[in-house]
């Protein structure tokens, strides 16, 4: 049962990263293409998605870190795909960083409106 819970946590942790980045990209595109009124209306619901995703990334990262060796590193080492695992984690960290920066920048524009 623990195996299933850890694997589900890791999956939803990755999904949360995608949700954060996609919410930020949508907000960024809206900030470039629609008027301030539409952006101000879209910002709260998309921010909720981003906030929940960010919270899940932090909370879900705890068990992921605890069980990293057993469920990610060891299987990658056995299969010889450690470089792919490293690339995946670098890309995921970059997605979180870029998504957060985009979200904050659009938030500043919304507050000025």
């Amino acid at each position: 049962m623990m195996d299933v819970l850890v694997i589900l946590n890791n999956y939803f942790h990755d999904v949360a990263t995608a949700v954060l980045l996609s919410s930020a990209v949508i907000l960024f595109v809206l900030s470039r293409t629609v008027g301030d009124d539409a952006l101000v209306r879209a910002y709260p619901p998309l921010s909720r998605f981003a906030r929940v995703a960010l919270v899940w990334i932090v909370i879900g990262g705890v068990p992921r870190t605890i069980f990293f060796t057993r469920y990610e590193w060891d299987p990658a080492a056995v299969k010889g795909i450690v470089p792919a695992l490293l690339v995946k984690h670098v890309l995921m960290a970059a997605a979180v960083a870029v998504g957060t920066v985009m979200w904050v920048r659009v938030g500043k524009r919304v507050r000025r409106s």
Side-chain angles (χ1 to χ4, degrees), residues 45-66:
L46 288 169
S47 284
R48 266 189 300 274
F49 277 108
R51 269 190 216 94
V52 169
L54 196 54
V55 167
W56 184 260
I57 290 166
V58 171
I59 293 171
V62 172
R64 188 167 199 166
T65 301
I66 292 168

Side-chain angles (χ1 to χ4, degrees), residues 15-110:
V15 169
T17 300
V19 168
L20 173 63
L21 182 61
S22 62
S23 297
V25 167
I26 291 168
L27 282 169
F28 181 77
V29 169
L30 288 175
S31 75
R32 301 289 180 166
T33 59
V34 300
D36 285 345
D37 290 341
L39 179 61
V40 168
R41 282 195 315 268
Y43 185 78
L46 288 169
S47 284
R48 266 189 300 274
F49 277 108
R51 269 190 216 94
V52 169
L54 196 54
V55 167
W56 184 260
I57 290 166
V58 171
I59 293 171
V62 172
R64 188 167 199 166
T65 301
I66 292 168
F67 295 106
F68 180 78
T69 303
R70 180 175 175 188
Y71 290 95
E72 295 189 64
W73 185 264
D74 291 348
V78 168
K79 294 177 185 175
I81 57 171
V82 169
L85 179 65
L86 296 175
V87 168
K88 172 194 169 187
H89 284 280
V90 167
L91 290 174
M92 296 297 252
V96 170
V98 168
T100 302
V101 167
M102 292 171 76
W103 176 35
V104 168
R105 286 185 179 173
V106 172
K108 287 179 183 177
R109 178 175 170 189
V110 167

